[in-house]
Amino acid sequence: MSVSSLKELLVEEIKDLYNAEGQLIKALPKMAKAAVNPDLKAGFLKHLEETRGHVVRLEQVFKLLGEPAKGKLCPAMKGLIEEGSEGIEENEPSALRDALLIGSAQRVEHYEIAAYGTVRAFAEKLGEDKVVKLLQQTLDEEGATDKKLTELSDIVNEEALSASESE
Ligand code: FE
Ligand code: FE
């Protein structure tokens, strides 16, 4: 990526995120379908709805920046999703596979948290206050999702451990 200003870098990173969120809208229903734990399943479906909102916010950001809403392939998100779907395909449904799913979902959330933190900082520096506000709202939801996944992992990992011990 070759850029010549902070504004241009912000726009490029927003395009990356727009594509990444779009990939997640396709991946989250598969993750929800794969999850055995009902709270994990519901959590993925809830985050799917939030993710649709993230796409809408990014469209508002494009508008505020005077740019067309257009994504650019995010290979990082593609890789994270690929690793997750391999884990789904190569294992039978179980608490252990749920533990694996949580691990890949948290990698995704951490990627998003890092990316939204970066673009928020660029927007702050550029004095784009409305953009900052929108990005912060999404950042808060990504953070809450990560926290929820950590809570669920405690229960799911325990179930995975007892299942392995009883084998
Ligand atoms: Fe998101
Ligand atoms: Fe997310």
Side-chain angles (χ1 to χ4, degrees):
M1 182 208 305
S2 161
V3 286
S4 51
S5 69
L6 192 62
K7 165 85 188 283
E8 202 184 330
L9 181 55
L10 170 63
V11 171
E12 286 305 308
E13 298 281 18
I14 295 293
K15 287 181 186 170
D16 179 277
L17 269 168
Y18 190 59
N19 174 267
E21 296 282 20
Q23 291 187 47
L24 283 170
I25 286 177
K26 288 188 196 147
L28 280 163
K30 296 176 194 166
M31 293 166 83
K33 201 176 164 216
V36 176
N37 182 290
D39 292 330
L40 183 59
K41 196 182 274 288
F44 284 141
L45 291 174
K46 179 178 179 238
H47 199 53
L48 172 62
E49 282 320 302
E50 287 174 343
T51 299
R52 295 190 210 279
H54 300 172
V55 166
V56 171
R57 283 194 196 114
L58 289 174
E59 285 164 354
Q60 292 169 330
V61 166
F62 278 119
K63 207 167 181 189
L64 286 164
L65 296 173
E67 296 283 334
K70 210 170 138 265
K72 191 178 161 205
L73 178 69
C74 172
M77 186 57 75
K78 193 164 177 261
L80 290 173
I81 291 171
E82 267 169 23
E83 279 197 42
S85 49
E86 268 177 36
I88 295 173
E89 283 162 23
E90 291 169 10
N91 295 279
E92 293 301 317
S94 62
L96 189 59
R97 195 176 77 170
D98 277 3
L100 185 157
L101 264 176
I102 291 175
S104 66
Q106 285 195 288
R107 282 177 177 80
V108 166
E109 293 314 310
H110 283 234
Y111 177 86
E112 293 187 283
I113 290 165
Y116 276 103
T118 299
V119 287
R120 182 198 55 194
F122 292 160
E124 261 167 18
K125 207 48 113 180
L126 290 162
E128 294 283 355
D129 299 344
K130 285 180 186 161
V131 172
V132 171
K133 235 179 158 178
L134 287 164
L135 297 173
Q136 185 63 53
Q137 285 170 6
T138 296
L139 195 48
D140 290 344
E141 288 175 2
E142 310 292 19
T145 301
D146 180 51
K147 196 163 163 262
K148 179 76 194 165
L149 286 165
T150 298
E151 286 167 18
L152 282 171
S153 76
D154 188 50
I155 301 154
V156 167
N157 294 350
E158 187 65 45
E159 284 171 6
L161 179 65
S162 352
S164 343
E165 279 172 340
S166 66
E167 258 170 29

